[in-house]
Amino acid sequence: MLDIKAIRKDFPILSRQVYGKPLVYLDNAATSQKPTSVIKALTEYYEEYNSNIHRGVHALSMEATDRYEEARQKCAGFIGSPIAENLIMVRNTTEAINLVAQSWAQHNIGPGDEILTTHMEHHSNLVPWQKVAKDRGAELKFIPLTSEQTLDLSDLDRLLTSRTKLVALNHMSNVLGTINPVKELGQAAHRVGARILIDGAQSVPHLKVDVKDLDCDFLAFSGHKMLAPTGIGVLYVKQEVLEDMEPFLRGGEMVKQVWDDHATWNDLPMRFEAGTPNIADAIAMGAAIDYLEALGMENVRQHEISITEYALNAFQELEEVTVFGPRDMSQRGGIVSFYGGDVHPHDIGTMLDREGIAIRTGHHCAMPLMNKLAVPATARASFYIYNTEEEVDLLVSALKATLRYFSKA
Amino acid sequence: MCAGWVIIMSTQGFDFADVDDLYREIILDHYRSPRNQEKLAESDLEAEGMNPFCGDEVVIQIKLVDGLVDAVSFKGNGCSISQASASILTDAIKGKTLDEAEALYFRFRDMMYGKSSSDDDADQLGEVEALAGVKRFPIRVKCALLAWATLEDAIKKHAREAEKKTSDKP
């Protein structure tokens, strides 16, 4: 069990008011808030040992290098990678996926090959594959959705064939909260000789993800959705795949030796980290992982199951509201997307905002999914470790009042 | 679970006094009963506008008689502000020349961007002035402007076509 009251005290922003009302922050799938320990890790770096890493011989540089590599170790431990060098520090999940598209897919996918993805991807796990398919003459295929917005795997044998070179999908949908069977899909992919990329942007912050257990080839995630600052994320790549990949960006840090007309590449993972990396934010991500590990990811998951179940039950009172995604909490994370009948999501968002309640409205960077759901947009509440059932009550009562306000009666 | 502070939050009322300036009665009325929805059998101007950020869509059609807007229609999908603004627009430009309609757009746009005084606007804008409250909600300004920007597109397209016709004449 999490001590929510104690947790809330660790997040300075949660005590602020918005339009004179206490902040109710329910937009965690967009970005999470940051605890004091993470903010402190940032200021400590800049106040005490700010310097460039991997090259300097002076004390500050060595200290910063140690702390940066320690953060990489923490990330590796957090996702169950035995080797820290299999983790590449990037800006975010989007950059991680683009790195795979450019450095692996462009060299390993050819004419007539197929990339299998799903109808519930964030644009960041779709648009890069559209480019690879176009550049390489490959075909994009999609796993469709069931009526409860889980993956419909009934036709998987037809979709996943010896032509498939990559299966790219999310572990948890940023719109539906659906948790996808990535381990089983990884096994199925490997049986036909395909690689699997998991977009872990929504899963890594909320449940225990173990790359050894999943046996995935690529895992991408962002720090900012898991208590860390923006601008830092991770791409995990399985060793045998990593050795085969072409560099992503070229320049300093990623080279071993450089001549007038050519260069040799640095060791892994620096080969993929050209230029001065985001040192401060990487170190702060280490602090975020310390915070989550102290809570225990099992406890984080249990809290989110409990608050999401509470929200789904409370939403049943609202007849005119459609809630998307599966009801079975073993297949769902702490994301509740809904459509308020006659009231447009944007109007709901503005009304709730004025009551201090922050939710997300729009297409959530998942326009093809909006088409499948036959809605222009949805409103989305998403939970994290500091959210309470009382905040869900506030959301539901403000939503009721909003629907009344706009009702045509 | 953490009772004390929460009880205070739960008793908070939802009077939405603050948003009344955004959702004025005229706006809600146009949203609930949009005007001029009937598709025109034939039109001289037509344009489609979209705001990809929130998925608002609007199509505007205009029929001219003797250089004046005789019939106008819109069809759309989106939030209350975008759709009410489109409905208000259709009423507002009826009987006007395209130059006058365009001038109304410029005046409205200036108001949304805070470039004009509200006293002037009240006189000149008529019912359109009901949208003045939107400017306090910057994220919603482009919802209010969508139909008007679409009107501007239609007018420009019409002018280009008219110019082409003139220059094509032998």
mmCIF file of all heavy atoms in Angstrom, chain A residues 20 53 57 112 118 184 245 255 264 283 324 332 377 387 391 399 403:
data_model
loop_
_atom_site.group_PDB
_atom_site.id
_atom_site.type_symbol
_atom_site.label_atom_id
_atom_site.label_comp_id
_atom_site.label_asym_id
_atom_site.label_seq_id
_atom_site.Cartn_x
_atom_site.Cartn_y
_atom_site.Cartn_z
ATOM 1 N N GLY A 20 -7.640 29.723 -7.964
ATOM 2 C CA GLY A 20 -8.122 29.745 -6.584
ATOM 3 C C GLY A 20 -8.634 28.415 -6.070
ATOM 4 O O GLY A 20 -9.202 28.338 -4.985
ATOM 5 N N ILE A 53 31.127 15.402 -19.701
ATOM 6 C CA ILE A 53 31.469 14.054 -19.239
ATOM 7 C C ILE A 53 32.330 13.303 -20.245
ATOM 8 O O ILE A 53 32.456 13.707 -21.393
ATOM 9 C CB ILE A 53 30.189 13.229 -18.950
ATOM 10 C CG1 ILE A 53 29.283 13.192 -20.183
ATOM 11 C CG2 ILE A 53 29.457 13.783 -17.755
ATOM 12 C CD1 ILE A 53 28.147 12.194 -20.069
ATOM 13 N N VAL A 57 39.654 15.456 -17.434
ATOM 14 C CA VAL A 57 40.520 14.781 -16.461
ATOM 15 C C VAL A 57 40.316 15.400 -15.077
ATOM 16 O O VAL A 57 40.904 14.949 -14.107
ATOM 17 C CB VAL A 57 42.020 14.894 -16.841
ATOM 18 C CG1 VAL A 57 42.306 14.047 -18.063
ATOM 19 C CG2 VAL A 57 42.424 16.335 -17.062
ATOM 20 N N GLY A 112 9.182 -5.692 -50.131
ATOM 21 C CA GLY A 112 8.360 -6.879 -49.917
ATOM 22 C C GLY A 112 8.280 -7.311 -48.457
ATOM 23 O O GLY A 112 7.455 -8.134 -48.087
ATOM 24 N N THR A 118 -0.193 -1.725 -34.735
ATOM 25 C CA THR A 118 -1.588 -1.872 -34.300
ATOM 26 C C THR A 118 -2.361 -0.585 -34.595
ATOM 27 O O THR A 118 -1.776 0.442 -34.934
ATOM 28 C CB THR A 118 -1.700 -2.147 -32.790
ATOM 29 O OG1 THR A 118 -1.597 -0.894 -32.091
ATOM 30 C CG2 THR A 118 -0.615 -3.090 -32.308
ATOM 31 N N GLU A 184 3.856 -12.345 -25.337
ATOM 32 C CA GLU A 184 3.355 -13.359 -26.267
ATOM 33 C C GLU A 184 3.617 -12.922 -27.712
ATOM 34 O O GLU A 184 3.998 -13.739 -28.560
ATOM 35 C CB GLU A 184 1.853 -13.595 -26.048
ATOM 36 C CG GLU A 184 1.495 -14.253 -24.721
ATOM 37 C CD GLU A 184 1.674 -13.346 -23.498
ATOM 38 O OE1 GLU A 184 1.807 -12.108 -23.678
ATOM 39 O OE2 GLU A 184 1.711 -13.864 -22.373
ATOM 40 N N MET A 245 23.818 -2.324 -35.525
ATOM 41 C CA MET A 245 23.148 -1.078 -35.914
ATOM 42 C C MET A 245 24.128 -0.012 -36.384
ATOM 43 O O MET A 245 25.233 0.103 -35.881
ATOM 44 C CB MET A 245 22.308 -0.554 -34.740
ATOM 45 C CG MET A 245 20.975 -1.277 -34.630
ATOM 46 S SD MET A 245 20.109 -1.037 -33.069
ATOM 47 C CE MET A 245 19.966 0.726 -32.968
ATOM 48 N N VAL A 255 32.664 8.776 -31.828
ATOM 49 C CA VAL A 255 33.774 8.268 -32.640
ATOM 50 C C VAL A 255 34.947 7.789 -31.788
ATOM 51 O O VAL A 255 35.128 8.227 -30.652
ATOM 52 C CB VAL A 255 34.299 9.357 -33.604
ATOM 53 C CG1 VAL A 255 33.359 9.547 -34.762
ATOM 54 C CG2 VAL A 255 34.527 10.666 -32.861
ATOM 55 N N THR A 264 36.228 5.955 -37.203
ATOM 56 C CA THR A 264 35.766 4.680 -36.640
ATOM 57 C C THR A 264 34.882 4.974 -35.438
ATOM 58 O O THR A 264 35.036 6.000 -34.772
ATOM 59 C CB THR A 264 36.958 3.791 -36.220
ATOM 60 O OG1 THR A 264 37.766 4.538 -35.306
ATOM 61 C CG2 THR A 264 37.781 3.377 -37.431
ATOM 62 N N ILE A 283 20.839 12.380 -14.851
ATOM 63 C CA ILE A 283 21.124 12.164 -13.428
ATOM 64 C C ILE A 283 19.833 12.284 -12.613
ATOM 65 O O ILE A 283 19.566 11.488 -11.703
ATOM 66 C CB ILE A 283 22.206 13.165 -12.940
ATOM 67 C CG1 ILE A 283 23.545 12.828 -13.621
ATOM 68 C CG2 ILE A 283 22.332 13.138 -11.420
ATOM 69 C CD1 ILE A 283 24.625 13.871 -13.444
ATOM 70 N N PHE A 324 -13.893 4.364 -22.893
ATOM 71 C CA PHE A 324 -13.238 3.414 -23.796
ATOM 72 C C PHE A 324 -12.290 2.493 -23.021
ATOM 73 O O PHE A 324 -11.892 2.783 -21.899
ATOM 74 C CB PHE A 324 -12.463 4.182 -24.879
ATOM 75 C CG PHE A 324 -13.358 5.054 -25.718
ATOM 76 C CD1 PHE A 324 -13.379 6.435 -25.550
ATOM 77 C CD2 PHE A 324 -14.213 4.486 -26.644
ATOM 78 C CE1 PHE A 324 -14.217 7.237 -26.313
ATOM 79 C CE2 PHE A 324 -15.058 5.286 -27.415
ATOM 80 C CZ PHE A 324 -15.058 6.656 -27.248
ATOM 81 N N ARG A 332 -5.502 -3.426 -18.110
ATOM 82 C CA ARG A 332 -5.669 -1.992 -18.207
ATOM 83 C C ARG A 332 -4.835 -1.242 -17.175
ATOM 84 O O ARG A 332 -4.711 -1.678 -16.032
ATOM 85 C CB ARG A 332 -7.146 -1.658 -17.959
ATOM 86 C CG ARG A 332 -7.412 -0.185 -18.075
ATOM 87 C CD ARG A 332 -8.877 0.126 -17.858
ATOM 88 N NE ARG A 332 -9.090 1.498 -18.283
ATOM 89 C CZ ARG A 332 -10.046 1.881 -19.096
ATOM 90 N NH1 ARG A 332 -10.922 1.017 -19.541
ATOM 91 N NH2 ARG A 332 -10.136 3.136 -19.447
ATOM 92 N N ALA A 377 -12.397 13.375 -30.992
ATOM 93 C CA ALA A 377 -11.424 13.565 -29.924
ATOM 94 C C ALA A 377 -11.997 12.893 -28.679
ATOM 95 O O ALA A 377 -13.177 12.523 -28.673
ATOM 96 C CB ALA A 377 -11.226 15.059 -29.655
ATOM 97 N N ASN A 387 -2.442 10.441 -6.872
ATOM 98 C CA ASN A 387 -3.873 10.721 -7.050
ATOM 99 C C ASN A 387 -4.719 9.939 -6.053
ATOM 100 O O ASN A 387 -4.366 8.836 -5.647
ATOM 101 C CB ASN A 387 -4.315 10.402 -8.481
ATOM 102 C CG ASN A 387 -3.735 11.382 -9.479
ATOM 103 O OD1 ASN A 387 -3.077 11.003 -10.433
ATOM 104 N ND2 ASN A 387 -3.964 12.669 -9.241
ATOM 105 N N GLU A 391 -10.070 12.845 -5.464
ATOM 106 C CA GLU A 391 -9.862 13.605 -6.716
ATOM 107 C C GLU A 391 -10.741 13.033 -7.830
ATOM 108 O O GLU A 391 -11.253 13.792 -8.663
ATOM 109 C CB GLU A 391 -8.385 13.566 -7.118
ATOM 110 C CG GLU A 391 -7.510 14.417 -6.220
ATOM 111 C CD GLU A 391 -6.044 14.390 -6.625
ATOM 112 O OE1 GLU A 391 -5.488 13.283 -6.775
ATOM 113 O OE2 GLU A 391 -5.444 15.462 -6.781
ATOM 114 N N LEU A 399 -17.702 16.878 -13.821
ATOM 115 C CA LEU A 399 -18.140 16.420 -15.128
ATOM 116 C C LEU A 399 -19.674 16.425 -15.212
ATOM 117 O O LEU A 399 -20.245 16.863 -16.215
ATOM 118 C CB LEU A 399 -17.584 15.010 -15.364
ATOM 119 C CG LEU A 399 -17.709 14.412 -16.751
ATOM 120 C CD1 LEU A 399 -17.132 15.329 -17.808
ATOM 121 C CD2 LEU A 399 -16.968 13.065 -16.785
ATOM 122 N N LEU A 403 -21.929 18.596 -17.847
ATOM 123 C CA LEU A 403 -22.942 18.053 -18.752
ATOM 124 C C LEU A 403 -24.267 18.783 -18.550
ATOM 125 O O LEU A 403 -24.984 19.074 -19.507
ATOM 126 C CB LEU A 403 -23.109 16.545 -18.519
ATOM 127 C CG LEU A 403 -21.857 15.690 -18.817
ATOM 128 C CD1 LEU A 403 -22.075 14.241 -18.436
ATOM 129 C CD2 LEU A 403 -21.445 15.794 -20.277
#
